[in-house]
Amino acid sequence: MLFFAFAFGLLALTSYLVGVSVGYVSRALSPAYRLGDYWLAATWIGLLTLGNAWLVLSLLMPLTPLSGALLALMLCLPALTRGRAYLRWTETGHVLRRQPSWLVALAAIALSNGAFFNRPSFIIDAGVYHIGSIEWLSQYGTVPGLALLNLTLGYGSTWFALAAPFNAGLWAGRAYNVANSVAYALLTLHLLLAGSRIWRRTGQPADWFLLMASGLTWLLATRFLGAIIVSPSPDIPVIVGVIILAWMFFLTTTPASPPDTGNARFLVWLMALGLAGVKLNALPVVIIGGCFVFAAGRQPGYLLRAGVLGGLLLAPGVVARVVMSGYPFFPSRAFGLGLPWQYENPVFTTDAIRVFAQWSGQNVPPGPDYPLRWLPHWIAHERLATGLLLTQLGVLVWGWRCWRQWTPAFRWALVLSTAGTLYVMAAAPSLRFLLGYPVVAISLGLADFLPRLAARWQPGTAGMWWERTGHLSIVILAGFLTAALTGLALLSSNTERLIQRAIAAGKVSNTPDHAPGWILPPRIRRIEYLESEPPVADTTVKRQLINGIEVTVPHAICWDLPLPCSPPYHKTGFRLRNPQRGLSGGFVKGPDKP
C-alpha cells in the first residue's frame, strides 16, 4: 500500500517538473492559468513526456531505476534552472499554508488509492503481454523481433515504459500496476479540484465539465472496467486522457488564456501526441488536436514548431514498434519495412481484432456476410455502450441546435467525441476503447445545463449554510473520495473469489509473497483459466529448446515467467539475431516452432 502512495508522490512530482520544463520550452504552459489547472495540466503533460523519453532510452539500454532517474533529472533541468519562475513554488506554498486541508486531502487520497491498487492483476491481457512488455523493458530494453515470440509484445506503449524502472529490487514482480495507480489517483484529484470550486460557487465551465467527465468516468470505469484499472493496461490512461484533452480545450480558449493563443494551443497538441504514444486507438485525438493547432495560425514558424513537437513525440512509439515487429503501426500491416524480424503471420491482424470486438469475443455465426451484420448482436451484448452512444447522439443533436451559442471549447470537445466514437466503432467497438468519447459528449451536455440550473438557485437558509461550509469543501469531498477508495480496496473481485476457492481446493499455491503488505505489494499470480471447477489453477511450465534458445513455455499465459517466454499457441519461429549478445541482441525469423 505504502509503495503505491510513495510512487504516486514521486511520479506526480517528477511529472510536474518535466511538464513545466516542456511547457517552458514550448511556451505552451502559461502562469496565467489558475494554480490547480496549472498543476494538473503540467503533471499530465509531464507524465506522458516521461513515458516517451523512457521508451527512447529503452532503445539503448534497459530501464533500471538509475537510468530512469538520470534521464528524468535531465528532463527536469529546464524547470529547475532558467524556468524556475514557472514552477510557481511561492504561490503553491502560500495556498498550502492558507489551506492546509489540501495536504491532508492529498495524503488521504494517496494512501486510499494505494490500498485499492495493493493487489495483483488478473486480466488475461496483463499476463499475455502487459507484464511481459514491462519485464523486457526493465531487463533488456526494447530489442528487435519481440513480436516473433508473442505477437502482442510487438504493440509497444510508452505506458509500459513508465512502470519498467520500478520493476527492480524489492519491487520486482510487484510494481506492474504503478502507472495506472497514478492515472487513477489523478482522476480522483480531478473530482476534488473541480468539486471544491463548484462547492464554493466559483466554478467556471471548465470546472463543470471536468467534474461531470471525471465523475462519470470514475463511476463507469470502476463499475464496469474495475479489473482493467488494477492492471498495467494502457486503455485506462487513454480513457482519462481523452477527458483531459477535452478539458484543455476550455483551458486554452477562455479569455483568461495568455495573449499568444497559438502557443497556448500547443498544450492540446502535446497531450494528443502523448496519448498516441500510449496506444494507437488514440489516433483520432492527434487528428483533432492537429486541426485545433492549425486553426490558430498558418505562419511557417508556428507550423514548423508544431511539426517538430509532433515528430519528437510520435517517433518513440513508431520506432519502438518497428524494432519489435517490423511495422510502424503494428498490429496494422501497413508500411512494412521488410526487416529480418518482421512479423508475417496473417492470422492476427487489425481485421481480426475488429471482428473479435464486433462479436464480443464469440465465434462469428455462419451465414452470408454483409455490412453491419454484427450490429444487432453487438447491441444485445453491449448494453452499456449502446446506452452511452444513444445518449451521445442526443447530445450531438442538442449541440447542433446550440452550435452558435456554444463557445469554441464546447464545439471542439464535441467534434473530438464524435470523431473518436466513429473511429472506435469502425476499428474495434469495445467499451474499453470507446468509453472516454461518449463520456466527453454527455459531460458537455451536463456542463451546459447544470450551471444554468444552479444559477436559478436562490440562496435561502440552506444556501447560507452551504456557503459557510465552503472552507470545508476540500475536507468533505476528500473524505468522501477516500471512503469510496477504501471501500473498493476491501471488496473482492469475482476472480479473487475464484482464486480463494482454488486455493482451498489445492489448485492454486498461496505463499506470503502473494499477500498484500503495508510496504510491499503482492507478487503476481501465475495462473491459468480452465473449464473445470474451480476454473483457476497454477499454470504449468516447461523449458524447451527452440532453434538453440532455451525458452519458457507456459500452458497459455506467460505472466512474469523467466524470459524469453513464448506461449505454445504462437507457432512463429525465431532465433537469436546476434548469438554473441544473447537476448539483448533480439531475434530474427527462424524455422517454425514444433
Side-chain angles (χ1 to χ4, degrees), residues 248-270:
M248 285 179 175
F249 286 133
F250 290 88
L251 199 63
T252 57
T253 57
T254 56
S257 297
D260 185 359
T261 56
N263 278 2
R265 292 189 177 213
F266 279 169
L267 194 65
V268 171
W269 185 225
L270 290 168

Side-chain angles (χ1 to χ4, degrees), residues 420-443:
T421 297
L422 292 174
Y423 174 82
V424 172
M425 292 302 294
S430 173
L431 178 65
R432 59 184 177 144
F433 305 147
L434 180 69
L435 182 60
Y437 298 111
V439 162
V440 166
I442 296 168
S443 301

Side-chain angles (χ1 to χ4, degrees), residues 110-461:
L111 289 172
S112 56
N113 186 74
F116 175 51
F117 275 84
N118 198 30
R119 62 184 73 187
S121 176
F122 300 111
I123 64 169
I124 293 177
D125 279 359
V128 170
Y129 77 100
H130 297 167
I131 291 172
S133 296
I134 295 171
E135 287 290 343
W136 276 102
L137 288 170
S138 61
Q139 294 186 41
Y140 299 98
T142 298
V143 302
L146 284 181
L148 299 174
L149 278 71
N150 182 355
L151 62 96
T152 48
L153 291 177
Y155 289 175
S157 173
T158 58
W159 205 245
F160 300 147
L162 276 174
F166 292 90
N167 185 44
L170 289 175
W171 294 279
R174 303 172 186 265
Y176 303 119
N177 303 338
V178 65
N180 271 7
S181 74
V182 175
Y184 196 69
L186 288 175
L187 176 64
T188 308
L189 291 179
H190 301 171
L191 287 167
L192 181 61
L193 176 65
S196 63
R197 288 171 174 171
I198 291 170
W199 187 305
R200 298 193 304 270
R201 302 175 71 87
T202 60
Q204 299 178 2
D207 301 316
W208 282 98
F209 171 79
L210 186 63
L211 179 65
M212 296 299 107
S214 300
L216 283 173
T217 301
W218 199 93
L219 291 171
L220 293 174
T222 304
R223 171 62 182 85
F224 297 100
L225 301 176
I228 297 177
I229 290 174
V230 186
S231 79
S233 173
D235 293 321
I236 298 304
V238 172
I239 292 171
V240 181
V242 164
I243 291 167
I244 290 298
L245 184 75
W247 168 74
M248 285 179 175
F249 286 133
F250 290 88
L251 199 63
T252 57
T253 57
T254 56
S257 297
D260 185 359
T261 56
N263 278 2
R265 292 189 177 213
F266 279 169
L267 194 65
V268 171
W269 185 225
L270 290 168
M271 188 72 191
L273 295 168
L275 289 176
V278 173
K279 197 161 186 176
L280 284 178
N281 65 347
L283 283 178
V285 306
V286 177
I287 297 172
I288 302 303
C291 294
F292 182 70
V293 170
F294 186 75
R298 296 169 180 80
Q299 298 84 0
Y302 169 70
L303 294 179
L304 178 61
R305 293 198 303 274
V308 169
L309 286 175
L312 288 175
L313 289 175
L314 285 178
V318 170
V319 173
R321 278 185 286 272
V322 168
V323 170
M324 293 185 291
S325 68
Y327 299 91
F329 304 107
F330 191 77
S332 170
R333 300 303 195 270
F335 308 110
L337 301 179
L339 297 170
W341 57 82
Q342 185 164 297
Y343 180 81
E344 299 290 359
N345 193 322
V347 174
F348 196 86
T349 62
T350 49
D351 290 338
I353 297 174
R354 180 172 61 252
V355 171
F356 183 88
Q358 289 172 341
W359 294 95
S360 306
Q362 301 181 16
N363 293 328
V364 179
D369 193 18
Y370 50 87
L372 299 181
R373 177 191 174 204
W374 54 273
L375 191 58
H377 170 94
W378 188 86
I379 291 174
H381 287 80
E382 301 285 349
R383 295 181 180 179
L384 173 62
T386 301
L388 290 172
L389 290 180
L390 291 175
T391 309
Q392 181 181 10
L393 183 60
V395 174
L396 187 61
V397 173
W398 174 258
W400 180 259
R401 294 184 60 185
C402 301
W403 188 261
R404 293 189 177 184
Q405 289 77 39
W406 273 11
T407 64
F410 275 89
R411 298 174 188 172
W412 279 107
L414 187 63
V415 170
L416 170 69
S417 68
T418 304
T421 297
L422 292 174
Y423 174 82
V424 172
M425 292 302 294
S430 173
L431 178 65
R432 59 184 177 144
F433 305 147
L434 180 69
L435 182 60
Y437 298 111
V439 162
V440 166
I442 296 168
S443 301
L444 287 172
L446 293 173
D448 181 42
F449 171 73
L450 291 179
R452 289 185 286 179
L453 183 65
R456 297 178 183 176
W457 179 41
Q458 298 298 325
T461 304

